[in-house]
Amino acid sequence: MVLVSGWIWTTVSMQTGRVFPWFSILIGIIVGLAVQRAGRGLDWRFPVIAAVLAWCGAYAGNLMIGIVETGRYIEARPFTVLAGLSRDTMENFFAITIGPVDHIYAFCAAGVASFLAKRRLNRREVLAIRTLNREHR
């Protein structure tokens, strides 16, 4: 889901010639809802998983845009640019391309994903948990 959302973000950015950082939050919403749907527990792990996936997805989307844009600039295919990535390239990418706004949006995406990842209980489940808690006292 994260990679598909990142690819859509990249495609929209290349078609319009603009980078929309709020797509990071959209990735957070998609990840949060997917984890909520797939996660069947009430454990703290599900919001943490969603937050980490959304946070990484925000940076992965920016990286995809950078790879496609670099490929356009040097007239190479995106997979050729991806194969040429090194540690030094990644350090330069995060030092030069990623700015404070990107960090803020990545943090917000993680927060939204974490919030939405919590499973919503129906009325019977809430009553069952209350009954269980009363019995354990």
Side-chain angles (χ1 to χ4, degrees), residues 88-100:
D88 185 49
T89 308
M90 293 303 291
E91 288 175 2
N92 286 333
F93 173 74
F94 278 99
I96 298 170
T97 306
I98 299 294

Side-chain angles (χ1 to χ4, degrees), residues 3-129:
L3 294 177
V4 171
S5 301
W7 187 252
I8 292 170
W9 183 10
T10 302
T11 304
V12 169
S13 294
M14 291 301 109
Q15 293 296 323
T16 60
R18 298 180 60 198
V19 177
F20 301 103
W22 52 265
F23 258 91
S24 299
I25 295 176
L26 185 63
I27 290 173
I29 292 170
I30 292 169
V31 168
L33 292 175
V35 170
Q36 178 189 31
R37 184 91 166 147
R40 293 291 177 211
L42 300 174
D43 208 8
W44 58 269
R45 292 179 189 106
F46 293 104
V48 170
I49 289 168
V52 169
L53 283 174
W55 186 73
C56 292
Y59 291 116
N62 280 316
L63 182 62
M64 283 184 194
I65 293 170
I67 287 171
V68 172
E69 188 63 35
T70 301
R72 264 190 193 176
Y73 182 73
I74 64 171
E75 297 177 359
R77 292 182 176 202
F79 291 109
T80 306
V81 176
L82 184 62
L85 289 179
S86 65
R87 183 176 178 204
D88 185 49
T89 308
M90 293 303 291
E91 288 175 2
N92 286 333
F93 173 74
F94 278 99
I96 298 170
T97 306
I98 299 294
V101 171
D102 296 311
H103 295 301
I104 291 169
Y105 274 102
F107 181 74
C108 290
V112 167
S114 178
F115 176 76
L116 292 175
K118 293 186 76 175
R119 182 164 176 242
R120 306 295 183 245
L121 301 178
N122 61 31
R123 185 179 181 140
R124 285 188 326 220
E125 292 169 332
V126 170
L127 291 174
I129 288 175

